[in-house]
Amino acid sequence: MSLKIRKNMLKTYVWSIALYGCETWTITAEEKRRLEAFEMWCYRRMLRISWVDRVTNVEVLERLSDGKSLWNNIVRRRNEWIGHIIRHEGLLKSIIEGTIEGNNRRGRPRLEFIQQIIKDQGCNSYVEMKRKADRREDWKMAANQSTD
């Protein structure tokens, strides 16, 4: 099979299964690193590069004539989904905007989903992000530029 067909099959079959539900994931730096390593592992398998061969990631990406796309895909899908949720009234919007009553647990606070979205969009607060999401054109432009 040609390289173009193999890349299309990887994006169609593997990425769709690996990224199922990624719109709702809270991804830590460690998980991001693992996702990027998985992407490179898939590329190496696709090019039939053995783990004992001394081939750098840069060289693998040059052979593919493609860049890393998995993380950008996750951020794009997450931004599209959250923009849709914020623009419409419903249960999910109430859940995202709501707070839980009670005392906080001891230790470091957990990473919050909405904080990741705010950081991805380059906003300072939820209100600023919500205003941007209400203007669909601004949101789409920001969502396309927010990938690392």
Side-chain angles (χ1 to χ4, degrees):
M1 279 194 290
S2 73
L3 185 60
K4 184 178 178 182
I5 292 173
R6 284 186 277 169
K7 284 194 315 190
N8 284 338
M9 288 182 70
L10 178 74
K11 290 177 182 179
T12 303
Y13 295 114
V14 179
W15 285 177
S16 62
I17 293 169
L19 299 182
Y20 180 77
C22 70
E23 295 87 0
T24 60
W25 296 350
T26 51
I27 301 173
T28 63
E30 173 66 19
E31 290 165 345
K32 180 181 176 183
R33 188 188 62 76
R34 286 178 183 246
L35 283 167
E36 290 175 346
F38 171 71
E39 179 181 17
M40 289 308 300
W41 179 82
C42 289
Y43 289 154
R44 287 172 181 273
R45 293 283 299 173
M46 184 176 66
L47 293 172
R48 295 186 181 105
I49 298 173
S50 174
W51 65 275
V52 294
D53 295 339
R54 293 237 180 225
V55 181
T56 64
N57 289 345
V58 174
E59 191 175 333
V60 170
L61 293 173
E62 285 175 2
R63 288 185 192 180
L64 284 172
S65 66
D66 201 8
K68 291 183 179 180
S69 62
L70 191 65
W71 179 250
N72 295 339
N73 195 358
I74 291 171
V75 172
R76 181 187 52 79
R77 288 170 67 170
R78 188 167 48 183
N79 287 335
E80 289 173 0
W81 181 75
I82 197 71
H84 173 77
I85 296 300
I86 290 174
R87 279 190 298 274
H88 297 89
E89 294 297 325
L91 180 62
L92 282 176
K93 183 177 180 181
S94 300
I95 291 170
I96 288 173
E97 290 181 347
T99 59
I100 299 173
E101 294 181 11
N103 297 332
N104 291 336
R105 292 183 175 181
R106 288 178 50 185
R108 182 176 178 178
R110 286 189 169 176
L111 183 65
E112 292 183 10
F113 174 72
I114 203 67
Q115 294 302 323
Q116 279 191 332
I117 303 296
I118 291 168
K119 188 178 111 189
D120 286 347
Q121 286 296 321
C123 298
N124 294 324
S125 67
Y126 178 75
V127 175
E128 182 183 342
M129 184 186 75
K130 191 172 175 181
R131 254 188 255 123
K132 191 186 291 187
D134 287 338
R135 295 186 308 270
R136 189 181 208 116
E137 294 80 28
D138 293 347
W139 183 263
K140 285 192 178 260
M141 190 171 67
N144 290 332
Q145 294 174 355
S146 66
T147 55
D148 290 334

